[in-house]
Amino acid sequence: MTNEAVPTITYSPLGQRIEGDGTYIDVEIYRRESDAGWILEVVDEENASTVYDDPFETDEAALAEVLASIQKYGLRVYLENGFPDEDVQSGTLH
């Protein structure tokens, strides 16, 4: 056993499931208690995860990023081929 403290994670109330195009994604927005920035993670129906590299200043900004991406590319951008190369977001697929 170690004496390392387990980090406390705070989840944003803005996290949500978004449905459309015959599928869905779960938007998860969270941060460690000791961090100022919010992490944005998008999980698709097959449990594949897109985690954005750079934290957002607010949870509202993180949600706005997802909504803007869906508006521009459609919901399936998180499921299929991802973002076009010329307009790569700061997300990485895990």
Side-chain angles (χ1 to χ4, degrees), residues 16-91:
Q16 58 190 277
R17 176 167 284 187
I18 299 174
E19 298 178 357
D21 295 335
T23 190
Y24 67 87
I25 59 170
D26 290 320
V27 178
E28 300 177 4
I29 305 169
Y30 53 88
R31 68 178 177 181
R32 289 188 305 198
E33 190 175 87
S34 60
D35 293 342
W38 290 89
I39 302 300
L40 172 59
E41 181 174 1
V42 179
V43 181
D44 70 23
E45 64 186 11
E46 296 179 2
N47 213 30
S49 170
T50 302
V51 178
Y52 283 67
D53 291 331
D54 298 323
F56 292 83
E57 285 190 33
T58 65
D59 55 348
E60 293 94 350
L63 181 59
E65 176 67 28
V66 171
L67 297 176
S69 294
I70 293 170
Q71 178 72 28
K72 187 171 183 178
Y73 301 109
L75 186 64
R76 290 195 168 273
V77 73
Y78 288 104
L79 285 89
E80 294 171 349
N81 296 326
F83 293 95
D85 289 339
E86 67 273 4
D87 196 19
V88 172
Q89 304 294 305
S90 59

